[in-house]
Amino acid sequence: MAEQESHSDKPALDELVGAAVKNHRGLAGLTLAELSARSGVSTAMISKIERGQVSASLTTLEALSSAIDVPLINFFAETVGHNDVSFVAAGEGVTVQRLGSGYGHAYKMIGRAEASHVSFESFCVTLHGPLDSPPVYQHRGVEFMHLTEGEMVYRCGDAEFHMKPGDSLSFDCATAHGPVKLITSTVSFITVVSKAEANTYG
């Protein structure tokens, strides 16, 4: 009986997903109205999702993750148990295609951990050229990149770096950054993004 009561005390899946949506919306600095305008999902529906009052469809969650510019898998991170050690075998990981970007970026999440109000996510990223319109990114946290295949020119702030296999780059994510030119048709790199986690948002 005690085990059943303990199990019922765990937050429901909808509540965990809703809390994650609210958390990432707050990290992105978006109001309900701004997220609604970006995603095409009504403010009333987003509010219900964040309070765990509805089971959002994957289509709706994809629209929200694209609007916030985070991988869809982030909304489900709290639905699995926390581990202080994470191992991903070679060639494995969770593949995430950036939604709505049109830039041909393929992301494979290969690690995630959090402790003491700080978290990080690591990805294996593959870019396919040419870049018709070079993307520019800005978000919270600090980032480390290590190029493993191909060559590209990568911009960080006012500086441009010609990166080759073995080159690394570290920077504040608030600085505008992104690939400027792919010198080879395919470029792959490992990236790690770390950021402080906030507990609550209005």
Side-chain angles (χ1 to χ4, degrees):
M1 186 66 169
E3 291 181 355
Q4 293 178 346
E5 290 176 353
S6 175
H7 178 75
S8 64
D9 288 339
K10 295 181 180 179
L13 175 62
D14 294 339
E15 294 176 340
L16 292 172
V17 171
V21 172
K22 183 176 182 179
N23 182 57
H24 284 289
R25 174 173 66 82
L27 288 172
L30 298 174
T31 65
L32 281 172
E34 289 170 337
L35 179 54
S36 176
R38 288 189 180 191
S39 65
V41 180
S42 70
T43 55
M45 176 57 72
I46 297 173
S47 180
K48 289 180 179 179
I49 291 172
E50 291 186 350
R51 294 198 299 268
Q53 295 178 342
V54 296
S55 295
S57 68
L58 283 177
T59 299
T60 297
L61 292 176
E62 284 178 348
L64 294 176
S65 68
S66 179
I68 298 174
D69 195 24
V70 296
L72 176 61
I73 193 175
N74 284 24
F75 293 163
F76 297 92
E78 297 299 323
T79 64
V80 296
H82 287 284
N83 298 310
D84 53 8
V85 176
S86 175
F87 172 77
V88 177
E92 297 184 2
V94 179
T95 300
V96 180
Q97 181 71 39
R98 285 188 73 88
L99 302 172
S101 67
Y103 296 121
H105 293 28
Y107 286 61
K108 178 172 285 187
M109 179 180 283
I110 56 176
R112 184 181 190 279
E114 61 179 69
S116 302
H117 307 294
V118 66
S119 69
F120 84 87
E121 293 178 337
S122 54
F123 297 88
C124 179
V125 183
T126 301
L127 312 180
H128 299 286
L131 296 176
D132 295 329
S133 177
V136 178
Y137 302 110
Q138 282 184 285
H139 49 93
R140 298 181 66 248
V142 292
E143 185 166 349
F144 169 79
M145 293 174 49
H146 181 75
L147 199 71
T148 57
E149 178 185 350
E151 292 184 40
M152 69 174 173
V153 177
Y154 198 89
R155 182 171 74 87
C156 188
D158 295 327
E160 292 187 354
F161 303 89
H162 183 172
M163 300 187 69
K164 301 178 181 180
D167 291 346
S168 299
L169 186 63
S170 301
F171 53 89
D172 182 343
C173 299
T175 301
H177 58 278
V180 175
K181 178 183 179 182
L182 302 189
I183 298 173
T184 54
S185 60
T186 300
V187 174
S188 296
F189 57 91
I190 301 295
T191 182
V192 180
V193 179
S194 180
K195 59 188 176 184
E197 294 288 354
N199 291 324
T200 58
Y201 296 95

